[in-house]
Amino acid sequence: MSENYTLPIESNWTVEDIVTVSNLIDGVLAVYETGISKRILLERFDQFREVMPAKSEQKQFDRDFEQQTGYSIYKTIQLAQKTIRDKVRA
């Protein structure tokens, strides 16, 4: 994974929106680095969906993120939803 990546920030996002999206990204990366609470990750994903409610935008954002990092938000969330453990780690 590249340590340098650029989040595609929308011009109409507030600072709070940017923080929400960044928190999800941090959570996704944590799954592959140290692990993260399943509850926290899924809460962050729900908050992300409030910022970006359109599925098409979510998919495009995920594709851009995966291209840059090698990690898929969608696949990570699927992993979290399927795990029975309290902590998600890949």
Side-chain angles (χ1 to χ4, degrees), residues 1-9 13 18-33 44 48 61-73:
M1 178 198 82
S2 170
E3 289 294 322
N4 299 318
Y5 53 90
T6 305
L7 294 178
I9 298 172
W13 284 359
I18 295 168
V19 169
T20 297
V21 172
S22 295
N23 285 341
L24 174 66
I25 296 305
D26 290 345
V28 169
L29 295 175
V31 168
Y32 298 95
E33 295 168 1
R44 289 180 180 182
F48 167 78
F61 187 90
D62 185 32
R63 279 192 295 271
D64 292 344
F65 181 72
E66 187 173 14
Q67 253 184 344
Q68 293 183 58
T69 65
Y71 300 134
S72 167
I73 296 168

Side-chain angles (χ1 to χ4, degrees), residues 74-86:
Y74 176 73
K75 290 175 186 172
T76 304
I77 296 303
Q78 276 190 322
L79 174 68
Q81 290 171 334
K82 290 179 181 176
T83 191
I84 57 172
R85 297 187 178 127
D86 291 335

Side-chain angles (χ1 to χ4, degrees), residues 15-51:
V15 171
E16 187 177 300
D17 292 342
I18 295 168
V19 169
T20 297
V21 172
S22 295
N23 285 341
L24 174 66
I25 296 305
D26 290 345
V28 169
L29 295 175
V31 168
Y32 298 95
E33 295 168 1
T34 59
I36 187 172
S37 159
K38 175 181 176 175
R39 180 187 55 78
I40 291 173
L41 181 62
L42 294 178
E43 283 175 0
R44 289 180 180 182
F45 183 63
D46 287 341
Q47 293 166 349
F48 167 78
R49 292 190 307 184
E50 289 176 16
V51 172

